Amino acid sequence: MAALSALNCLADELPERAHQESPFFEELPTVLSTSRIPQALNEAPGAVTILDREFIRATGYRDVARLLRLVPGMQVGQERGHAQWVTYHGLGSDYPTEIQVLIDGRSVYAPSAFGGVDWSALPLTVQEIERIEVVRGTNSNAYGANAFLGVINIITRHTHQDRGGSAQFNLGSHRIADMQASWTGGAEGLGLRLSVADRQDNGFTNLHDSHRSQTFSLRSDYRLNARDELNVRAGYNHMVRDLGYPDSLFGNNAERSGHNESGTLHLTWRRTVSEDEEWLLSAYRNQENGVERWLASAPGFGYPAVPLDRDRAAVRTNLELQHRLALGPGARLVWGLETRRDEATSSFLFAGGKPPVLELYRAFSNLDWRLTPEWQLNLGGLIEKNGPVAPQFIPRAFVNWQASARDTFRAGYARAWQQRNLFDLHGDVRARDPASGVLLAWPYQPNPDLKVPHVDTLELGYLGRFPALDATLDVRLFNERISDFVIRRTVPTGGAVLPLPSTQFVNLASPVVLRGVEYQLRARPRAGTELLFSHTLIDRHTDDPEIAKRTAPYTASLTWLQNYGEGWSSTASLLRMGRLAGGYGYVPGCDYTSKAYTTGDLRIARAFRLDGRRTEVALNGVNLGGRHQEIADRSEQCLNGHLGSPVNPVSTMGWLSFAIEL
């Protein structure tokens, strides 16, 4: 608190006119993702980080996942060039599912295979993003079970905000060759945007991980009358990527190529009755198809070629109704109903070919109540029924105290349940000799009796504004107690003698507790300069040391954005990550943790006019701190020795970009 007092004292020494003239303090940004009610940042029931359009553009990053490294509490790494491991406070499996990821409010989780988010195949381009809101903390009462530890809401730009076209080209090391183009047009009341992207590179040095991603997206906004608007968003992605290692045990993770197609259609009707009342009806359908085949081999056992695959298909259908209204001068309420259906098919991943269909039903409500000018209460509740699991109630209660125009304190409690995906419950992977049908390996066994994990979160927070530095400080202290946490454990094979252990997803008997503090300071100490500093410290408590290693004890990042004038600008980021063991790997039982590392990113850009059109040329580099390992394939790493060199270090990558507005 002494540091806060010092900053406030420094602020008081400045003339009041300086505070009034600073546009940074005219108003705090409005967020939508914490409660589904538009709220100023200091009124939100939780900590929120906003990455806006200008900041995203200034970083020059080629993918969304790298942006999230700059958010407090986020623990992000790469096992290879196109494989992103994105978590909040770690703990994720090979395919993390602890945070909800949305595009314009639509979940992008894939119900097939192992669940999770395919960050390299999102059906949108970076250029069409208006902002990213990251809710740091449990938010299941607003968005359901996948918002177990937080929410990432990627919000695209409305078509009425601009007109015209743009294009960008990237060329660089590791055969980076990207093209992105977008056009926005329309007539009165109708807006249309078409975006295409082709992104490819050869991945990290000495790894089989080249990839090519092709994306098409469409957004249309049609205002029917003064009250009603229709929104259509469609997206398609086709991905070809290299996977595996040349020396994996029995070829269980052999080198191969995978093909994946995903598409989405999202329809929304919005009726704005008044400034304080709105109806929203939304429907979407996600579809995914993947082909991934290779041959394992155990010649010493007399099996020279054993076919393996991850071929899969999945469909998610969702329908939601939401109503926001004012109950009085100081009270606003939002309520809604939602239903969802998940279907998946994979003859190899589910043994029988098709697991049971999962149907979900939920009802939610959030109340924003201004008790006095200084005190605000946020109450929320959600009831969710998912498949055969008994209905769960998800509550949240937060109180915000605006102690002054500059200082806001918050305190709250929330509970969340994490519904398990289809593979956790019904995954049944068996490798057989194609000639005799003899069972050779059983790496995954189903567990339909898996309990649903839940987390109880206590949070204290502070949001302060300091005119002396033109700065905001966001602090979050948290205690997250997770019960029935899901882990992967070796289990008996029913008497069969197999060369590899068999595993099953089971519940941990004791709780996992994460306690810590995270904060973010954003400052503009002088004209043309912006600094963003994020830092997180986490104390991990669990009876299982292996689980503790799946959360890094600390992370930090410092980003410096500088506008030099005459079109010149630069963005430099320094990132630090503590020791981290991410995921499991194909063969369980390997206890391996990647070392702590420091790395940096840099972008230098020059903007100018070319034939009257805004143009920018930039030199970009990532992983400039030397080669280091972020997320290990633990089974592959143990095969090469715990003390050996990392089998999958990241590579320094650089590229030249050229962007023009048409």
Side-chain angles (χ1 to χ4, degrees), residues 78-139:
Q78 291 177 268
E79 185 265 329
R80 55 187 56 228
H82 57 71
Q84 304 277 3
W85 193 82
V86 179
T87 72
Y88 179 70
H89 292 173
L91 292 181
S93 62
D94 291 306
Y95 304 88
T97 59
E98 284 75 24
I99 49 178
Q100 177 66 280
V101 182
L102 310 168
I103 297 178
D104 292 329
R106 172 189 62 83
S107 175
V108 298
Y109 271 98
S112 69
F114 302 100
V117 175
D118 191 344
W119 289 95
S120 296
L122 293 177
L124 86 166
T125 65
V126 174
Q127 279 67 23
E128 59 186 306
I129 298 175
E130 176 65 19
R131 68 184 184 276
I132 301 174
E133 296 182 2
V134 183
V135 181
R136 305 183 341 258
T138 297
N139 200 27

Side-chain angles (χ1 to χ4, degrees), residues 448-560:
D449 298 324
L450 195 66
K451 297 178 183 177
V452 179
H454 67 272
V455 60
D456 293 281
T457 300
L458 293 171
E459 175 179 329
L460 297 175
Y462 169 78
L463 182 66
R465 299 188 287 173
F466 308 99
L469 298 174
D470 206 356
T472 59
L473 175 65
D474 177 14
V475 183
R476 179 177 187 252
L477 289 84
F478 56 87
N479 185 97
E480 297 164 341
R481 188 180 189 275
I482 304 172
S483 302
D484 293 322
F485 184 72
V486 173
I487 56 176
R488 185 181 171 198
R489 281 287 185 260
T490 301
V491 293
T493 57
V497 180
L498 304 174
L500 296 176
S502 185
T503 66
Q504 188 180 60
F505 291 104
V506 299
N507 296 103
L508 190 67
S510 57
V512 177
V513 180
L514 303 179
R515 299 190 185 103
V517 59
E518 62 191 37
Y519 59 92
Q520 184 172 72
L521 175 66
R522 193 164 196 163
R524 295 173 180 170
R526 61 181 183 181
T529 300
E530 183 174 352
L531 299 173
L532 180 67
F533 178 65
S534 301
H535 187 208
T536 303
L537 296 170
I538 301 178
D539 189 15
R540 305 151 296 172
H541 296 267
T542 173
D543 292 341
D544 190 328
E546 190 273 335
I547 300 301
K549 295 175 184 178
R550 285 164 54 183
T551 294
Y554 61 86
T555 59
S557 68
L558 174 63
T559 300
W560 169 31

Side-chain angles (χ1 to χ4, degrees), residues 125-251:
T125 65
V126 174
Q127 279 67 23
E128 59 186 306
I129 298 175
E130 176 65 19
R131 68 184 184 276
I132 301 174
E133 296 182 2
V134 183
V135 181
R136 305 183 341 258
T138 297
N139 200 27
S140 286
N141 77 294
Y143 291 102
N146 277 119
F148 192 65
L149 292 179
V151 172
I152 299 169
N153 193 6
I154 303 169
I155 301 170
T156 62
R157 194 165 176 82
H158 197 283
T159 57
H160 293 164
Q161 291 179 268
D162 49 23
R163 288 289 190 269
S166 64
Q168 179 172 326
F169 304 90
N170 300 329
L171 288 174
S173 66
H174 300 260
R175 296 192 178 182
I176 292 174
D178 304 336
M179 181 281 294
Q180 301 180 66
S182 179
W183 173 84
T184 306
E188 183 177 355
L190 173 65
L192 176 67
R193 179 175 61 246
L194 301 174
S195 301
V196 295
D198 190 326
R199 179 172 172 263
Q200 58 184 312
D201 60 56
N202 276 2
F204 297 157
T205 301
N206 298 325
L207 280 183
H208 186 68
D209 71 334
S210 63
H211 86 286
R212 183 176 185 180
S213 174
Q214 297 170 303
T215 302
F216 167 80
S217 70
L218 174 150
R219 172 168 175 163
S220 179
D221 303 287
Y222 180 41
R223 182 166 293 281
L224 299 171
N225 51 52
R227 290 187 174 186
D228 298 298
E229 181 176 88
L230 294 177
N231 311 105
V232 178
R233 175 169 172 78
Y236 170 81
N237 177 269
H238 177 258
M239 168 80 79
V240 179
R241 64 187 120 200
D242 290 338
L243 301 154
Y245 293 89
D247 58 347
S248 63
L249 188 61
F250 301 123

Side-chain angles (χ1 to χ4, degrees), residues 218-509:
L218 174 150
R219 172 168 175 163
S220 179
D221 303 287
Y222 180 41
R223 182 166 293 281
L224 299 171
N225 51 52
R227 290 187 174 186
D228 298 298
E229 181 176 88
L230 294 177
N231 311 105
V232 178
R233 175 169 172 78
Y236 170 81
N237 177 269
H238 177 258
M239 168 80 79
V240 179
R241 64 187 120 200
D242 290 338
L243 301 154
Y245 293 89
D247 58 347
S248 63
L249 188 61
F250 301 123
N252 73 90
N253 189 15
E255 290 185 339
R256 60 197 183 277
S257 292
H259 300 253
N260 190 80
E261 287 185 322
S262 60
T264 183
L265 178 63
H266 186 191
L267 307 175
T268 303
W269 167 68
R270 184 189 309 270
R271 161 160 283 199
T272 305
V273 179
S274 66
E275 183 179 354
D276 296 322
E277 185 174 6
E278 176 186 81
W279 287 90
L280 197 67
L281 180 63
S282 174
Y284 69 80
R285 179 182 175 91
N286 299 343
Q287 188 162 337
E288 178 197 17
N289 294 279
V291 177
E292 189 179 325
R293 302 170 183 172
W294 70 102
L295 292 175
S297 63
F301 293 86
Y303 303 106
V306 179
L308 305 177
D309 74 72
R310 284 186 171 181
D311 294 358
R312 59 201 180 273
V315 175
R316 167 171 286 185
T317 307
N318 197 94
L319 180 66
E320 179 182 285
L321 174 68
Q322 176 182 302
H323 183 205
R324 175 174 58 84
L325 68 157
L327 300 179
R332 295 181 296 168
L333 176 74
V334 63
W335 67 269
L337 304 171
E338 184 176 0
T339 179
R340 189 178 76 200
R341 179 184 175 92
D342 286 346
E343 300 177 71
T345 302
S346 176
S347 60
F348 191 77
L349 296 178
F350 296 103
K354 189 175 179 65
V357 172
L358 278 185
E359 294 185 340
L360 176 145
Y361 305 93
R362 65 169 63 116
F364 59 86
S365 180
N366 284 281
L367 173 67
D368 174 9
W369 185 8
R370 174 72 65 177
L371 301 173
T372 71
E374 296 82 22
W375 290 91
Q376 180 183 6
L377 181 65
N378 279 277
L379 298 175
L382 180 145
I383 298 176
E384 183 171 273
K385 176 74 170 69
N386 190 18
V389 178
Q392 282 116 16
F393 176 64
I394 302 172
R396 178 174 65 184
F398 262 80
V399 61
N400 290 28
W401 174 41
Q402 296 183 17
S404 71
R406 299 172 183 168
D407 305 296
T408 301
F409 297 86
R410 65 178 180 272
Y413 162 80
R415 165 170 281 202
W417 300 82
Q418 185 186 21
Q419 305 293 353
R420 305 314 303 169
N421 60 47
L422 287 169
F423 187 81
D424 289 352
L425 297 169
H426 306 289
D428 190 352
V429 179
R430 309 183 192 199
R432 297 182 181 274
D433 175 38
S436 65
V438 173
L439 182 65
L440 304 178
W442 195 1
Y444 291 92
Q445 296 186 33
N447 185 3
D449 298 324
L450 195 66
K451 297 178 183 177
V452 179
H454 67 272
V455 60
D456 293 281
T457 300
L458 293 171
E459 175 179 329
L460 297 175
Y462 169 78
L463 182 66
R465 299 188 287 173
F466 308 99
L469 298 174
D470 206 356
T472 59
L473 175 65
D474 177 14
V475 183
R476 179 177 187 252
L477 289 84
F478 56 87
N479 185 97
E480 297 164 341
R481 188 180 189 275
I482 304 172
S483 302
D484 293 322
F485 184 72
V486 173
I487 56 176
R488 185 181 171 198
R489 281 287 185 260
T490 301
V491 293
T493 57
V497 180
L498 304 174
L500 296 176
S502 185
T503 66
Q504 188 180 60
F505 291 104
V506 299
N507 296 103
L508 190 67

